[in-house]
Amino acid sequence: MSCIIIKNGRVIDPANQVDTVTDLVLENGKIANLQTVSKPPADTTVIDATDRIVSPGLIDIHVHFREPGQEEKETIATGSAAAVAGGFTSVCCMPNTNPALDDDGRIEFVYHQAARANLANVFPVGAITKGREGKELAEIGLMARAGSVGFTDDGCAVASAGVMAKALNYIQMTGKVVMQHCEDPELGGGVMNAGTLSTKLGLKGWPRVAEELIIQRDILLNQGIGARYHVQHLSSGGSVEIIRRARQDLFGQAHVTAEASPHHLLLTEEGCANYDTHYKMNPPLRQKHDIEALRQGIKDGVITILATDHAPHTNEEKSLEFAAAPYGIIGLECALPLYVEALIESETIDWPAMLAMMTNQPAELCPLPGKGTFSVGADADVTIIDPKHSWTIDVDQFAGKSRNCPFHGRKVNSRAMTTIVGGQIKFNLDPDRVK
Amino acid sequence: MTPPDSAPKYTWRHRHLLGLEELSADDLRFLFRTARGFEEVSTRSVKKVPALRGKVVVNLFFEDSTRTRSSFHLAASRLSADVLELAGKGSSMSKGETLTDTARNIEAMGVDIIVCRHNQSGAARHLAQAVNCNVVNAGDGQHEHPTQGLLDIFTLCKRWGLDDTFDLTGKTVAIVGDIAHSRVARSNIYGLRTLGAKIILVGPPTLLPQSFKDLGCEISHDLDQVLGRVDAVNMLRIQFERMTSQFFPSVREYATMFGLTAKRIKLAKPDLLVMHPGPINRGMELDAAVADGPNSAILEQVTNGLAIRMAALFLVINAKP
């Protein structure tokens, strides 16, 4: 019988409204109980969590692991290593691989590769349309049976209203979540926020309306269908208001959720001023007032999920000219302290509210049974956090394969110290505390 | 060369000429005075000075160009530099070699100045960060075309007899046409504003985003209303090659609404100066009668470009940062 006791930590379990200093017992890969253990039995691993936060394993429902097809950027193994190094025990990987994850065989492939890597739980999200071309529905039913936890054409939106209506209707049958990358391709497609700065730089703009229009359209399409509709990586303050209204108007019946990423909560378009491609992402970085609206949306419960959109690219690609370089930023290994900076240090929300956005709320969305909670019998996925650990983000220390991160060199104030997945320690910066 | 009398302690500090946005009024005036000094060289029987003897200038052009390329070539030759002509095609993506690699390879041949034309905004800055030699931007995407902006303003100053002060306070210049896609417009806007001119941008809203107001310009969609209020008009070329979708209904409609015709020019002040960065789509933005008429300064622009480019090459290599 394998047993781990995590002693004397501040245990925060948002799913069960727990926030108390106690011990957590893991047995045989499951949560056994949550109470002070005075005498640990022999052959038990004891982790001293004094002054640490003990959270259900963090979940990131939006990552790109690039396998199959772009293994030079990331693989499921290197991505999993990055996940546990950042405190994430479960991730959902997007289907914009090459070929796309658009049939049951490819969904199974992801599970196989994740099992081989044996680090984090990796849940594939299947494509909505074949080849992510936005034309014909992919084999959604078969993918759902193979374990696809949701559906998206992420990287681009399902642009056609007709196809999207069909997708919402069909996916609703499976009970899975429909995740949308909200970008009207005819209005979007620019390389940075549309405005004065893009005009000065002579770069094509990607206006807020390209995002807002798709969100509003999809909410209208989904009326009477009632699929679980989730908006990925919000960038515009106006989008927050559209979602807020939808959640109010329909008397709480609207199945609309949304996620925000670390970069959209901290960075503005000003980063692009010197044509630095590390600040090129999709949707683009916007302005101060958008950051404020996103934070307010989090405070008010309009945005209920935090997700990184971890998007690795090689240095060679990122050193192309701004318009030619690919969109994206890696996020897994520095997301936690960045969320802390954006949301806790700014006094927007507190630790339990923030951890809810990274544990039970994403687990309920997909859903991921047994994840994101310390309920007895749940999977023994645990993240032990030092909320006062000061360190400097250094991409050269990252476990993942790529280095495209504008936060390199930033001083931050918290860190995932120990990551336990299924009752096994997968990452640990605190060897002295493990006995 | 005439030293600037107004600013005796002035020093040119720019190792690269990437855009007019980063140049002060003193910088612009110093460059114009340097160009003034070089103009005389072109009138000699032996059209050469040894200012850049032993230096190597490379014309690295990733986009087609006739006049800018030959103007830089000639300017470098008149300064006695060795000139290397290199052509690339499209973005570095299609070439399989990054712009940085290309530039470093060229630099490794012992080049002193890279003159770069590229279809991507920011390419010149990208280059300047990658190499140790001097970089002169000969047009980067839709961002800036500093030497074109300089020669346009230089032409205006000379025609207006302001080539001692280079102060454009009280003058109004209209820039007409495809502002959105134009690097020439952006460079003109920065330079003209810095020297005190008022700018009115004219074009259909699809080619003239409202954000140009934030650059300190007035915006108009009615050329007839604007013509009587301006001292010069810079007619931009419609850049079909940069248009990824339809920006106006037809050439006929555009020419009717925004073309400078012989009839329309009667609405302007008699001494209106007409400029065009070339090549002209005759009959579209400009009637032949106007392009070749008495108001036209188009060929002077070309002539002045030579002195401006001599000055630019000379100054960047002698910069004291």
Side-chain angles (χ1 to χ4, degrees), chain A residues 195-196 199-203 273-275 316 319-324, chain B residues 21 92-93 118 120-122 125-126 129 142-143 186 190 211-212 214:
Chain A
T196 305
T199 296
K200 285 176 78 169
L201 294 172
L203 293 172
N274 208 21
Y275 297 97
E316 288 71 26
S319 58
L320 292 171
E321 303 83 349
F322 198 90
Chain B
E21 188 184 5
S92 53
M93 199 94 119
H118 200 283
Q120 298 277 331
S121 301
R125 182 166 318 206
H126 193 107
Q129 284 163 353
Q142 303 171 17
H143 176 225
R186 285 170 179 80
Y190 294 127
S211 48
F212 275 94
D214 302 332

PDB file of all heavy atoms in Angstrom, chain A residues 195-196 199-203 273-275 316 319-324, chain B residues 21 92-93 118 120-122 125-126 129 142-143 186 190 211-212 214:
ATOM      1  N   GLY A 195      -5.358  49.409 -34.023  1.00  0.00           N
ATOM      2  CA  GLY A 195      -5.454  50.710 -33.371  1.00  0.00           C
ATOM      3  C   GLY A 195      -4.311  51.603 -33.789  1.00  0.00           C
ATOM      4  O   GLY A 195      -3.678  51.373 -34.828  1.00  0.00           O
ATOM      5  N   THR A 196      -4.050  52.604 -32.976  1.00  0.00           N
ATOM      6  CA  THR A 196      -3.015  53.579 -33.317  1.00  0.00           C
ATOM      7  C   THR A 196      -1.646  52.918 -33.467  1.00  0.00           C
ATOM      8  O   THR A 196      -0.910  53.203 -34.408  1.00  0.00           O
ATOM      9  CB  THR A 196      -2.944  54.664 -32.229  1.00  0.00           C
ATOM     10  OG1 THR A 196      -4.253  55.221 -32.078  1.00  0.00           O
ATOM     11  CG2 THR A 196      -1.986  55.764 -32.612  1.00  0.00           C
ATOM     12  N   THR A 199      -1.296  50.977 -36.618  1.00  0.00           N
ATOM     13  CA  THR A 199      -1.199  51.939 -37.720  1.00  0.00           C
ATOM     14  C   THR A 199       0.219  52.481 -37.826  1.00  0.00           C
ATOM     15  O   THR A 199       0.796  52.547 -38.914  1.00  0.00           O
ATOM     16  CB  THR A 199      -2.189  53.097 -37.490  1.00  0.00           C
ATOM     17  OG1 THR A 199      -3.514  52.567 -37.523  1.00  0.00           O
ATOM     18  CG2 THR A 199      -2.048  54.167 -38.550  1.00  0.00           C
ATOM     19  N   LYS A 200       0.791  52.850 -36.688  1.00  0.00           N
ATOM     20  CA  LYS A 200       2.151  53.394 -36.702  1.00  0.00           C
ATOM     21  C   LYS A 200       3.164  52.360 -37.179  1.00  0.00           C
ATOM     22  O   LYS A 200       4.072  52.679 -37.929  1.00  0.00           O
ATOM     23  CB  LYS A 200       2.549  53.862 -35.294  1.00  0.00           C
ATOM     24  CG  LYS A 200       1.887  55.154 -34.888  1.00  0.00           C
ATOM     25  CD  LYS A 200       2.236  55.525 -33.458  1.00  0.00           C
ATOM     26  CE  LYS A 200       3.624  56.110 -33.370  1.00  0.00           C
ATOM     27  NZ  LYS A 200       3.853  56.702 -32.027  1.00  0.00           N
ATOM     28  N   LEU A 201       2.995  51.144 -36.725  1.00  0.00           N
ATOM     29  CA  LEU A 201       3.969  50.109 -37.064  1.00  0.00           C
ATOM     30  C   LEU A 201       3.759  49.559 -38.473  1.00  0.00           C
ATOM     31  O   LEU A 201       4.591  48.821 -38.985  1.00  0.00           O
ATOM     32  CB  LEU A 201       3.887  48.964 -36.053  1.00  0.00           C
ATOM     33  CG  LEU A 201       4.303  49.321 -34.622  1.00  0.00           C
ATOM     34  CD1 LEU A 201       3.998  48.177 -33.672  1.00  0.00           C
ATOM     35  CD2 LEU A 201       5.780  49.680 -34.558  1.00  0.00           C
ATOM     36  N   GLY A 202       2.620  49.909 -39.087  1.00  0.00           N
ATOM     37  CA  GLY A 202       2.341  49.372 -40.416  1.00  0.00           C
ATOM     38  C   GLY A 202       2.049  47.889 -40.368  1.00  0.00           C
ATOM     39  O   GLY A 202       2.396  47.152 -41.283  1.00  0.00           O
ATOM     40  N   LEU A 203       1.441  47.434 -39.277  1.00  0.00           N
ATOM     41  CA  LEU A 203       1.095  46.019 -39.144  1.00  0.00           C
ATOM     42  C   LEU A 203      -0.415  45.857 -39.206  1.00  0.00           C
ATOM     43  O   LEU A 203      -1.164  46.725 -38.750  1.00  0.00           O
ATOM     44  CB  LEU A 203       1.624  45.476 -37.813  1.00  0.00           C
ATOM     45  CG  LEU A 203       3.149  45.404 -37.684  1.00  0.00           C
ATOM     46  CD1 LEU A 203       3.559  45.043 -36.256  1.00  0.00           C
ATOM     47  CD2 LEU A 203       3.741  44.412 -38.680  1.00  0.00           C
ATOM     48  N   ALA A 273       5.687  47.119 -29.760  1.00  0.00           N
ATOM     49  CA  ALA A 273       6.173  48.381 -30.333  1.00  0.00           C
ATOM     50  C   ALA A 273       7.527  48.253 -31.012  1.00  0.00           C
ATOM     51  O   ALA A 273       7.827  48.990 -31.939  1.00  0.00           O
ATOM     52  CB  ALA A 273       6.224  49.462 -29.252  1.00  0.00           C
ATOM     53  N   ASN A 274       8.331  47.308 -30.545  1.00  0.00           N
ATOM     54  CA  ASN A 274       9.655  47.135 -31.147  1.00  0.00           C
ATOM     55  C   ASN A 274       9.699  45.919 -32.070  1.00  0.00           C
ATOM     56  O   ASN A 274      10.752  45.383 -32.344  1.00  0.00           O
ATOM     57  CB  ASN A 274      10.706  47.010 -30.035  1.00  0.00           C
ATOM     58  CG  ASN A 274      12.060  47.490 -30.500  1.00  0.00           C
ATOM     59  OD1 ASN A 274      12.176  48.249 -31.467  1.00  0.00           O
ATOM     60  ND2 ASN A 274      13.098  47.028 -29.830  1.00  0.00           N
ATOM     61  N   TYR A 275       8.530  45.500 -32.542  1.00  0.00           N
ATOM     62  CA  TYR A 275       8.405  44.332 -33.426  1.00  0.00           C
ATOM     63  C   TYR A 275       8.943  43.062 -32.745  1.00  0.00           C
ATOM     64  O   TYR A 275       9.524  42.204 -33.401  1.00  0.00           O
ATOM     65  CB  TYR A 275       9.130  44.556 -34.762  1.00  0.00           C
ATOM     66  CG  TYR A 275       8.572  45.683 -35.604  1.00  0.00           C
ATOM     67  CD1 TYR A 275       9.149  46.940 -35.583  1.00  0.00           C
ATOM     68  CD2 TYR A 275       7.458  45.485 -36.413  1.00  0.00           C
ATOM     69  CE1 TYR A 275       8.639  47.980 -36.353  1.00  0.00           C
ATOM     70  CE2 TYR A 275       6.950  46.511 -37.195  1.00  0.00           C
ATOM     71  CZ  TYR A 275       7.547  47.760 -37.165  1.00  0.00           C
ATOM     72  OH  TYR A 275       7.050  48.766 -37.934  1.00  0.00           O
ATOM     73  N   GLU A 316      13.708  29.668 -34.235  1.00  0.00           N
ATOM     74  CA  GLU A 316      13.844  30.011 -35.656  1.00  0.00           C
ATOM     75  C   GLU A 316      12.565  30.654 -36.167  1.00  0.00           C
ATOM     76  O   GLU A 316      12.602  31.670 -36.862  1.00  0.00           O
ATOM     77  CB  GLU A 316      14.144  28.749 -36.484  1.00  0.00           C
ATOM     78  CG  GLU A 316      15.532  28.180 -36.301  1.00  0.00           C
ATOM     79  CD  GLU A 316      15.748  27.515 -34.940  1.00  0.00           C
ATOM     80  OE1 GLU A 316      14.752  27.057 -34.333  1.00  0.00           O
ATOM     81  OE2 GLU A 316      16.892  27.476 -34.469  1.00  0.00           O
ATOM     82  N   SER A 319      12.055  34.101 -34.734  1.00  0.00           N
ATOM     83  CA  SER A 319      12.962  35.163 -35.166  1.00  0.00           C
ATOM     84  C   SER A 319      12.680  35.605 -36.597  1.00  0.00           C
ATOM     85  O   SER A 319      13.447  36.366 -37.181  1.00  0.00           O
ATOM     86  CB  SER A 319      14.426  34.736 -34.985  1.00  0.00           C
ATOM     87  OG  SER A 319      14.683  33.568 -35.709  1.00  0.00           O
ATOM     88  N   LEU A 320      11.555  35.179 -37.137  1.00  0.00           N
ATOM     89  CA  LEU A 320      11.129  35.722 -38.433  1.00  0.00           C
ATOM     90  C   LEU A 320      10.591  37.142 -38.242  1.00  0.00           C
ATOM     91  O   LEU A 320      10.416  37.609 -37.117  1.00  0.00           O
ATOM     92  CB  LEU A 320      10.030  34.843 -39.034  1.00  0.00           C
ATOM     93  CG  LEU A 320      10.457  33.441 -39.486  1.00  0.00           C
ATOM     94  CD1 LEU A 320       9.245  32.605 -39.853  1.00  0.00           C
ATOM     95  CD2 LEU A 320      11.397  33.547 -40.685  1.00  0.00           C
ATOM     96  N   GLU A 321      10.314  37.827 -39.354  1.00  0.00           N
ATOM     97  CA  GLU A 321       9.720  39.151 -39.283  1.00  0.00           C
ATOM     98  C   GLU A 321       8.362  39.040 -38.587  1.00  0.00           C
ATOM     99  O   GLU A 321       7.710  38.007 -38.632  1.00  0.00           O
ATOM    100  CB  GLU A 321       9.528  39.733 -40.693  1.00  0.00           C
ATOM    101  CG  GLU A 321      10.798  39.813 -41.522  1.00  0.00           C
ATOM    102  CD  GLU A 321      11.118  38.500 -42.209  1.00  0.00           C
ATOM    103  OE1 GLU A 321      10.501  37.477 -41.896  1.00  0.00           O
ATOM    104  OE2 GLU A 321      12.021  38.514 -43.063  1.00  0.00           O
ATOM    105  N   PHE A 322       7.918  40.136 -37.994  1.00  0.00           N
ATOM    106  CA  PHE A 322       6.736  40.107 -37.129  1.00  0.00           C
ATOM    107  C   PHE A 322       5.531  39.467 -37.817  1.00  0.00           C
ATOM    108  O   PHE A 322       4.872  38.585 -37.256  1.00  0.00           O
ATOM    109  CB  PHE A 322       6.388  41.524 -36.665  1.00  0.00           C
ATOM    110  CG  PHE A 322       5.493  41.533 -35.461  1.00  0.00           C
ATOM    111  CD1 PHE A 322       6.018  41.550 -34.182  1.00  0.00           C
ATOM    112  CD2 PHE A 322       4.111  41.501 -35.596  1.00  0.00           C
ATOM    113  CE1 PHE A 322       5.199  41.537 -33.058  1.00  0.00           C
ATOM    114  CE2 PHE A 322       3.282  41.482 -34.488  1.00  0.00           C
ATOM    115  CZ  PHE A 322       3.832  41.507 -33.215  1.00  0.00           C
ATOM    116  N   ALA A 323       5.231  39.897 -39.032  1.00  0.00           N
ATOM    117  CA  ALA A 323       4.033  39.376 -39.696  1.00  0.00           C
ATOM    118  C   ALA A 323       4.198  37.903 -40.081  1.00  0.00           C
ATOM    119  O   ALA A 323       3.217  37.163 -40.159  1.00  0.00           O
ATOM    120  CB  ALA A 323       3.712  40.221 -40.928  1.00  0.00           C
ATOM    121  N   ALA A 324       5.431  37.472 -40.295  1.00  0.00           N
ATOM    122  CA  ALA A 324       5.667  36.098 -40.740  1.00  0.00           C
ATOM    123  C   ALA A 324       5.805  35.124 -39.570  1.00  0.00           C
ATOM    124  O   ALA A 324       5.595  33.926 -39.731  1.00  0.00           O
ATOM    125  CB  ALA A 324       6.936  36.052 -41.596  1.00  0.00           C
TER     126      ALA A 324
ATOM    127  N   GLU B  21      10.130  58.739 -37.647  1.00  0.00           N
ATOM    128  CA  GLU B  21       9.506  58.885 -36.337  1.00  0.00           C
ATOM    129  C   GLU B  21      10.549  59.211 -35.275  1.00  0.00           C
ATOM    130  O   GLU B  21      10.293  59.979 -34.358  1.00  0.00           O
ATOM    131  CB  GLU B  21       8.743  57.603 -35.952  1.00  0.00           C
ATOM    132  CG  GLU B  21       7.930  57.780 -34.682  1.00  0.00           C
ATOM    133  CD  GLU B  21       7.245  56.492 -34.224  1.00  0.00           C
ATOM    134  OE1 GLU B  21       7.463  55.433 -34.826  1.00  0.00           O
ATOM    135  OE2 GLU B  21       6.494  56.575 -33.235  1.00  0.00           O
ATOM    136  N   SER B  92      11.393  35.968 -45.803  1.00  0.00           N
ATOM    137  CA  SER B  92      12.435  34.990 -45.540  1.00  0.00           C
ATOM    138  C   SER B  92      11.854  33.585 -45.420  1.00  0.00           C
ATOM    139  O   SER B  92      12.520  32.603 -45.641  1.00  0.00           O
ATOM    140  CB  SER B  92      13.146  35.355 -44.254  1.00  0.00           C
ATOM    141  OG  SER B  92      12.214  35.521 -43.230  1.00  0.00           O
ATOM    142  N   MET B  93      10.572  33.540 -45.038  1.00  0.00           N
ATOM    143  CA  MET B  93       9.889  32.262 -44.898  1.00  0.00           C
ATOM    144  C   MET B  93      10.048  31.427 -46.166  1.00  0.00           C
ATOM    145  O   MET B  93      10.396  30.259 -46.118  1.00  0.00           O
ATOM    146  CB  MET B  93       8.411  32.525 -44.653  1.00  0.00           C
ATOM    147  CG  MET B  93       7.679  31.388 -44.055  1.00  0.00           C
ATOM    148  SD  MET B  93       7.624  31.541 -42.288  1.00  0.00           S
ATOM    149  CE  MET B  93       5.856  31.615 -42.084  1.00  0.00           C
ATOM    150  N   HIS B 118      12.241  45.745 -47.942  1.00  0.00           N
ATOM    151  CA  HIS B 118      11.628  44.461 -47.587  1.00  0.00           C
ATOM    152  C   HIS B 118      10.116  44.635 -47.533  1.00  0.00           C
ATOM    153  O   HIS B 118       9.620  45.715 -47.225  1.00  0.00           O
ATOM    154  CB  HIS B 118      12.163  44.012 -46.219  1.00  0.00           C
ATOM    155  CG  HIS B 118      12.016  42.541 -45.949  1.00  0.00           C
ATOM    156  ND1 HIS B 118      10.817  41.982 -45.591  1.00  0.00           N
ATOM    157  CD2 HIS B 118      12.923  41.529 -45.972  1.00  0.00           C
ATOM    158  CE1 HIS B 118      10.998  40.673 -45.409  1.00  0.00           C
ATOM    159  NE2 HIS B 118      12.265  40.370 -45.643  1.00  0.00           N
ATOM    160  N   GLN B 120       8.130  43.328 -45.391  1.00  0.00           N
ATOM    161  CA  GLN B 120       7.586  43.156 -44.043  1.00  0.00           C
ATOM    162  C   GLN B 120       7.874  44.386 -43.194  1.00  0.00           C
ATOM    163  O   GLN B 120       9.022  44.821 -43.089  1.00  0.00           O
ATOM    164  CB  GLN B 120       8.231  41.939 -43.367  1.00  0.00           C
ATOM    165  CG  GLN B 120       7.973  40.627 -44.063  1.00  0.00           C
ATOM    166  CD  GLN B 120       6.625  40.025 -43.684  1.00  0.00           C
ATOM    167  OE1 GLN B 120       6.111  40.236 -42.599  1.00  0.00           O
ATOM    168  NE2 GLN B 120       6.038  39.276 -44.601  1.00  0.00           N
ATOM    169  N   SER B 121       6.830  44.903 -42.550  1.00  0.00           N
ATOM    170  CA  SER B 121       7.014  46.005 -41.621  1.00  0.00           C
ATOM    171  C   SER B 121       7.968  45.566 -40.514  1.00  0.00           C
ATOM    172  O   SER B 121       7.835  44.472 -39.989  1.00  0.00           O
ATOM    173  CB  SER B 121       5.673  46.405 -40.999  1.00  0.00           C
ATOM    174  OG  SER B 121       4.759  46.775 -41.997  1.00  0.00           O
ATOM    175  N   GLY B 122       8.896  46.437 -40.157  1.00  0.00           N
ATOM    176  CA  GLY B 122       9.817  46.127 -39.064  1.00  0.00           C
ATOM    177  C   GLY B 122      11.079  45.409 -39.515  1.00  0.00           C
ATOM    178  O   GLY B 122      11.966  45.156 -38.702  1.00  0.00           O
ATOM    179  N   ARG B 125      14.396  47.304 -38.796  1.00  0.00           N
ATOM    180  CA  ARG B 125      14.759  47.306 -37.370  1.00  0.00           C
ATOM    181  C   ARG B 125      15.296  45.932 -36.954  1.00  0.00           C
ATOM    182  O   ARG B 125      16.288  45.829 -36.238  1.00  0.00           O
ATOM    183  CB  ARG B 125      13.539  47.670 -36.525  1.00  0.00           C
ATOM    184  CG  ARG B 125      13.868  47.728 -35.060  1.00  0.00           C
ATOM    185  CD  ARG B 125      12.785  48.406 -34.278  1.00  0.00           C
ATOM    186  NE  ARG B 125      12.297  49.586 -34.969  1.00  0.00           N
ATOM    187  CZ  ARG B 125      11.743  50.625 -34.353  1.00  0.00           C
ATOM    188  NH1 ARG B 125      11.625  50.608 -33.050  1.00  0.00           N
ATOM    189  NH2 ARG B 125      11.297  51.646 -35.026  1.00  0.00           N
ATOM    190  N   HIS B 126      14.626  44.916 -37.451  1.00  0.00           N
ATOM    191  CA  HIS B 126      15.037  43.531 -37.230  1.00  0.00           C
ATOM    192  C   HIS B 126      16.504  43.359 -37.643  1.00  0.00           C
ATOM    193  O   HIS B 126      17.321  42.813 -36.908  1.00  0.00           O
ATOM    194  CB  HIS B 126      14.125  42.675 -38.108  1.00  0.00           C
ATOM    195  CG  HIS B 126      14.153  41.222 -37.826  1.00  0.00           C
ATOM    196  ND1 HIS B 126      13.121  40.578 -37.208  1.00  0.00           N
ATOM    197  CD2 HIS B 126      15.083  40.288 -38.083  1.00  0.00           C
ATOM    198  CE1 HIS B 126      13.421  39.291 -37.093  1.00  0.00           C
ATOM    199  NE2 HIS B 126      14.597  39.096 -37.622  1.00  0.00           N
ATOM    200  N   GLN B 129      19.068  45.187 -35.460  1.00  0.00           N
ATOM    201  CA  GLN B 129      19.345  44.502 -34.197  1.00  0.00           C
ATOM    202  C   GLN B 129      20.253  43.293 -34.398  1.00  0.00           C
ATOM    203  O   GLN B 129      20.893  42.837 -33.465  1.00  0.00           O
ATOM    204  CB  GLN B 129      18.019  44.059 -33.545  1.00  0.00           C
ATOM    205  CG  GLN B 129      17.286  45.235 -32.897  1.00  0.00           C
ATOM    206  CD  GLN B 129      15.819  44.944 -32.613  1.00  0.00           C
ATOM    207  OE1 GLN B 129      15.288  43.908 -33.002  1.00  0.00           O
ATOM    208  NE2 GLN B 129      15.155  45.870 -31.932  1.00  0.00           N
ATOM    209  N   GLN B 142       4.629  48.219 -44.691  1.00  0.00           N
ATOM    210  CA  GLN B 142       3.736  49.375 -44.643  1.00  0.00           C
ATOM    211  C   GLN B 142       4.169  50.324 -43.542  1.00  0.00           C
ATOM    212  O   GLN B 142       3.389  51.128 -43.064  1.00  0.00           O
ATOM    213  CB  GLN B 142       2.302  48.898 -44.403  1.00  0.00           C
ATOM    214  CG  GLN B 142       1.853  47.914 -45.473  1.00  0.00           C
ATOM    215  CD  GLN B 142       0.540  47.254 -45.149  1.00  0.00           C
ATOM    216  OE1 GLN B 142      -0.215  47.706 -44.309  1.00  0.00           O
ATOM    217  NE2 GLN B 142       0.229  46.167 -45.831  1.00  0.00           N
ATOM    218  N   HIS B 143       5.415  50.203 -43.107  1.00  0.00           N
ATOM    219  CA  HIS B 143       5.863  50.967 -41.943  1.00  0.00           C
ATOM    220  C   HIS B 143       6.441  52.329 -42.333  1.00  0.00           C
ATOM    221  O   HIS B 143       5.766  53.337 -42.223  1.00  0.00           O
ATOM    222  CB  HIS B 143       6.866  50.127 -41.146  1.00  0.00           C
ATOM    223  CG  HIS B 143       7.467  50.828 -39.985  1.00  0.00           C
ATOM    224  ND1 HIS B 143       8.812  50.786 -39.715  1.00  0.00           N
ATOM    225  CD2 HIS B 143       6.913  51.587 -39.028  1.00  0.00           C
ATOM    226  CE1 HIS B 143       9.053  51.496 -38.620  1.00  0.00           C
ATOM    227  NE2 HIS B 143       7.920  51.990 -38.188  1.00  0.00           N
ATOM    228  N   ARG B 186       3.409  57.421 -43.969  1.00  0.00           N
ATOM    229  CA  ARG B 186       3.839  57.459 -42.567  1.00  0.00           C
ATOM    230  C   ARG B 186       5.116  58.283 -42.406  1.00  0.00           C
ATOM    231  O   ARG B 186       5.215  59.120 -41.509  1.00  0.00           O
ATOM    232  CB  ARG B 186       4.037  56.036 -42.041  1.00  0.00           C
ATOM    233  CG  ARG B 186       2.698  55.333 -41.767  1.00  0.00           C
ATOM    234  CD  ARG B 186       2.908  53.849 -41.479  1.00  0.00           C
ATOM    235  NE  ARG B 186       1.661  53.147 -41.191  1.00  0.00           N
ATOM    236  CZ  ARG B 186       0.790  52.723 -42.094  1.00  0.00           C
ATOM    237  NH1 ARG B 186       0.993  52.979 -43.384  1.00  0.00           N
ATOM    238  NH2 ARG B 186      -0.306  52.081 -41.737  1.00  0.00           N
ATOM    239  N   TYR B 190       5.405  61.889 -40.164  1.00  0.00           N
ATOM    240  CA  TYR B 190       6.324  62.164 -39.055  1.00  0.00           C
ATOM    241  C   TYR B 190       7.216  63.364 -39.366  1.00  0.00           C
ATOM    242  O   TYR B 190       7.360  64.273 -38.547  1.00  0.00           O
ATOM    243  CB  TYR B 190       7.195  60.937 -38.758  1.00  0.00           C
ATOM    244  CG  TYR B 190       6.413  59.753 -38.226  1.00  0.00           C
ATOM    245  CD1 TYR B 190       6.505  58.509 -38.816  1.00  0.00           C
ATOM    246  CD2 TYR B 190       5.579  59.894 -37.121  1.00  0.00           C
ATOM    247  CE1 TYR B 190       5.792  57.422 -38.330  1.00  0.00           C
ATOM    248  CE2 TYR B 190       4.853  58.818 -36.625  1.00  0.00           C
ATOM    249  CZ  TYR B 190       4.961  57.580 -37.238  1.00  0.00           C
ATOM    250  OH  TYR B 190       4.253  56.521 -36.759  1.00  0.00           O
ATOM    251  N   SER B 211      -7.587  55.823 -37.097  1.00  0.00           N
ATOM    252  CA  SER B 211      -6.462  55.880 -36.160  1.00  0.00           C
ATOM    253  C   SER B 211      -5.384  56.860 -36.623  1.00  0.00           C
ATOM    254  O   SER B 211      -4.545  57.266 -35.823  1.00  0.00           O
ATOM    255  CB  SER B 211      -5.872  54.485 -35.970  1.00  0.00           C
ATOM    256  OG  SER B 211      -5.664  53.851 -37.204  1.00  0.00           O
ATOM    257  N   PHE B 212      -5.401  57.275 -37.883  1.00  0.00           N
ATOM    258  CA  PHE B 212      -4.420  58.263 -38.335  1.00  0.00           C
ATOM    259  C   PHE B 212      -4.625  59.615 -37.667  1.00  0.00           C
ATOM    260  O   PHE B 212      -3.718  60.435 -37.633  1.00  0.00           O
ATOM    261  CB  PHE B 212      -4.440  58.392 -39.866  1.00  0.00           C
ATOM    262  CG  PHE B 212      -3.572  57.362 -40.541  1.00  0.00           C
ATOM    263  CD1 PHE B 212      -4.106  56.168 -40.977  1.00  0.00           C
ATOM    264  CD2 PHE B 212      -2.219  57.578 -40.705  1.00  0.00           C
ATOM    265  CE1 PHE B 212      -3.308  55.210 -41.579  1.00  0.00           C
ATOM    266  CE2 PHE B 212      -1.405  56.627 -41.306  1.00  0.00           C
ATOM    267  CZ  PHE B 212      -1.956  55.438 -41.741  1.00  0.00           C
ATOM    268  N   ASP B 214      -4.824  59.965 -34.584  1.00  0.00           N
ATOM    269  CA  ASP B 214      -3.942  59.922 -33.413  1.00  0.00           C
ATOM    270  C   ASP B 214      -2.508  60.287 -33.761  1.00  0.00           C
ATOM    271  O   ASP B 214      -1.693  60.525 -32.885  1.00  0.00           O
ATOM    272  CB  ASP B 214      -3.968  58.523 -32.773  1.00  0.00           C
ATOM    273  CG  ASP B 214      -5.372  58.120 -32.362  1.00  0.00           C
ATOM    274  OD1 ASP B 214      -6.173  59.029 -32.076  1.00  0.00           O
ATOM    275  OD2 ASP B 214      -5.670  56.911 -32.342  1.00  0.00           O
TER     276      ASP B 214
END
